[in-house]
Amino acid sequence: MILTLVFIFLFGLIIGSFLNCLTWRLYKEETILGRSYCPKCRVNINWYDNIPVLSFLFLKRKCRSCHSKISWQYPLVEIITAVLFVLVFYFNFSHDFSIINLFYDLFLVSLLIIIFVFDWRWFLIPTQVLFFGGLIFFFINIFLGFSIWFLLLNMIIGVSFFFLQYFLTRRKGIGEGDIWLGGFLGLAFPIFGHFALLIFLTYIIGGLVSIILIIFGLKKIGSKLPLGIFLSASALISIFWADKLVSWYLGLVLG
């Protein structure tokens, strides 16, 4: 089991490196094909300078060609992806293990990381990721036995909830991309209780983070924060603990 988890961790590091590259190329609207390059000098990166985490350490956080600083985003995304992949595998292995459920969760984690980084850095939601991922989850959930109409209803609820907020705040509360993210999450979390929990957690986490940032003077009241990062974080929590949190909440309410 230990060797398997080590393999999953190393695999997660590689996927994390790919997600870093994919996120940047989506933002620059470039093809995902071709070798990695330095964003500053655009010189191609050699394979030995592109080893997850290790190359960052060996190069002392500097590009070999132009010596510009390498963002901490790269090793952090690689490590976080690897840790989440291990958790996903262990979680699935401890429950009713199936290849399709494992793929589902790993794929969802990967997309959520892209969405988180994208919204954190540029206050944008990569809608092409949402449409592609939503389509994949739609067909997988049909295969898993969910009704087409139920899935569409869940998607519509997600879109409508955030569109209403978008409309009522006159486009100041959230961005258009968050509306489509709501529809994507409705498809990715077809159990309505899990989806409702995700939205609830989003505003709890977002509220707490906002209060902390205001207290420490990092943000002012009324400052805009990217909702996508809180939706992504809440979705990650829901992957692992949705059942327990929903059961705990219902027990608290119903006594």
Side-chain angles (χ1 to χ4, degrees):
M1 183 65 173
I2 299 298
L3 288 176
T4 302
L5 294 178
V6 170
F7 172 80
I8 296 297
F9 185 84
L10 295 175
F11 177 67
L13 288 177
I14 295 171
I15 296 299
S17 179
F18 172 73
L19 296 180
N20 273 319
C21 176
L22 180 58
T23 301
W24 174 253
R25 297 201 180 191
L26 285 172
Y27 174 68
K28 301 298 289 186
E29 297 183 348
E30 297 176 348
T31 176
I32 62 172
L33 302 177
R35 290 173 58 182
S36 298
Y37 61 85
C38 171
K40 300 291 185 180
C41 64
R42 300 189 70 86
V43 171
N44 287 337
I45 300 174
N46 295 312
W47 69 266
Y48 47 80
D49 288 337
N50 208 22
I51 301 172
V53 181
L54 293 180
S55 292
F56 180 85
L57 298 175
F58 291 151
L59 291 171
K60 298 180 180 179
R61 203 194 160 193
K62 293 181 179 179
C63 170
R64 187 182 295 275
S65 299
C66 67
H67 305 292
S68 61
K69 290 287 187 180
I70 301 173
S71 172
W72 279 97
Q73 171 198 319
Y74 293 93
L76 287 176
V77 167
E78 290 163 357
I79 293 171
I80 290 171
T81 304
V83 170
L84 288 173
F85 270 38
V86 169
L87 290 175
V88 165
F89 180 83
Y90 185 79
F91 177 83
N92 276 269
F93 190 81
S94 302
H95 294 73
D96 296 328
F97 181 82
S98 73
I99 294 297
I100 191 168
N101 286 334
L102 178 62
F103 169 80
Y104 192 105
D105 289 344
L106 291 177
F107 184 58
L108 179 54
V109 163
S110 299
L111 297 189
L112 291 172
I113 289 172
I114 294 175
I115 293 165
F116 185 99
V117 174
F118 219 94
D119 208 21
W120 176 272
R121 290 196 61 180
W122 302 296
F123 279 68
L124 294 170
I125 301 293
T127 52
Q128 60 270 57
V129 171
L130 302 183
F131 295 148
F132 173 74
L135 194 63
I136 297 296
F137 289 126
F138 179 75
F139 286 112
I140 291 178
N141 281 318
I142 289 175
F143 177 78
L144 292 174
F146 287 94
S147 163
I148 293 177
W149 301 112
F150 180 81
L151 291 172
L152 292 176
L153 177 62
N154 224 35
M155 180 188 70
I156 291 170
I157 290 173
V159 169
S160 301
F161 179 85
F162 291 104
F163 175 78
L164 183 62
Q165 186 176 341
Y166 178 80
F167 176 75
L168 292 177
T169 59
R170 298 179 180 179
R171 305 180 182 181
K172 295 180 180 179
I174 62 174
E176 184 180 343
D178 297 314
I179 299 172
W180 303 117
L181 179 54
F184 164 79
L185 292 172
L187 291 173
F189 291 86
I191 299 176
F192 184 75
H194 294 181
F195 184 44
L197 170 71
L198 186 161
I199 294 176
F200 178 75
L201 287 175
T202 296
Y203 290 96
I204 293 295
I205 296 173
L208 290 175
V209 171
S210 298
I211 291 171
I212 292 171
L213 292 176
I214 291 171
I215 289 174
F216 285 95
L218 299 175
K219 289 287 183 179
K220 297 180 180 179
I221 296 176
S223 297
K224 186 177 180 180
L225 288 173
L227 183 64
I229 66 172
F230 301 119
L231 280 166
S232 301
S234 300
L236 288 171
I237 294 172
S238 299
I239 289 174
F240 301 109
W241 297 293
D243 285 328
K244 291 183 178 180
L245 288 173
V246 169
S247 297
W248 171 80
Y249 178 76
L250 290 177
L252 195 65
V253 172
L254 300 177

